[in-house]
Amino acid sequence: MSSNRFTICFILALLVQLVLAKYCQWPFVYICILPAMILCMPTIRPTWWTMAVAFLAGFAVDALADGPLGLNAVALVPVAALQKTIIRFAIDADIVDRHYNLSFRSNGYIRLSIALALAYAVFFIIYIIVDSAGVRNFGFNLTKLLSSTLVSLIFGMTTIAVLCPYQRK
């Protein structure tokens, strides 16, 4: 994929996330496409680069969407740190070793769904722990984790389809 195309699509997806964070807020559901965006980043980039982009993207969403400053950033950086591990575990080690990009056609819907669910689980567990800081009960936090993950999976799969078009292995 062209680097320019990915960068433009990434910035547009970041703008979509800003709109979602600003205007689509409910107590039990937080819609987020940031983990999907980080999972789509090229595996040829070093992990520190992916973590830096994740921090900047999360911080931009926090600052521009009037959320708690640093909350998305602190939850997204571990997703970026585990990006290659999640891809190796859920999809295939060859993708990371040979620096292939993700796509539905070459990796399959089930494998990408599992990888995305793992990325969302890491993100939302950290997000909810930091956001609630022990104030909310376990039932509320579990409900928010499950509902946010399920709803965000739908948006995340669409994000992967936009950011990672078909490419041959």
Side-chain angles (χ1 to χ4, degrees):
M1 172 186 344
S2 168
S3 177
N4 291 336
R5 181 194 181 283
F6 181 82
T7 303
I8 291 169
C9 288
F10 191 89
I11 292 170
L12 289 174
L14 191 61
L15 291 174
V16 169
Q17 176 59 47
L18 282 169
V19 170
L20 288 172
K22 183 89 171 170
Y23 299 109
C24 298
Q25 294 182 356
W26 299 286
F28 285 102
V29 178
Y30 176 59
I31 301 173
C32 186
I33 60 172
L34 290 171
M37 293 167 55
I38 296 303
L39 202 61
C40 290
M41 290 194 66
T43 56
I44 197 166
R45 297 278 187 203
T47 302
W48 67 267
W49 176 262
T50 307
M51 291 172 67
V53 170
F55 177 79
L56 292 173
F59 195 78
V61 169
D62 290 334
L64 298 175
D66 299 331
L69 203 56
L71 186 57
N72 280 308
V74 77
L76 195 59
V77 169
V79 174
L82 295 173
Q83 175 207 22
K84 293 177 183 172
T85 305
I86 289 171
I87 292 172
R88 275 191 181 105
F89 176 75
I91 301 173
D92 191 8
D94 276 352
I95 293 172
V96 176
D97 296 339
R98 296 183 184 187
H99 306 297
Y100 292 140
N101 293 325
L102 300 177
S103 74
F104 285 117
R105 193 165 183 187
S106 61
N107 303 121
Y109 290 95
I110 302 293
R111 288 182 177 180
L112 279 174
S113 298
I114 292 169
L116 192 57
L118 288 172
Y120 274 120
V122 169
F123 177 81
F124 282 123
I125 287 171
I126 295 169
Y127 185 93
I128 290 169
I129 288 172
V130 173
D131 187 34
S132 68
V135 175
R136 296 193 178 112
N137 63 15
F138 179 74
F140 179 85
N141 289 339
L142 184 63
T143 303
K144 186 169 184 172
L145 171 69
L146 295 176
S147 60
S148 295
T149 302
L150 289 175
V151 172
S152 293
L153 262 173
I154 297 166
F155 285 88
M157 294 297 267
T158 306
T159 304
I160 289 177
V162 171
L163 288 177
C164 301
Y166 171 71
Q167 289 192 343
R168 294 183 181 265
K169 269 192 163 182

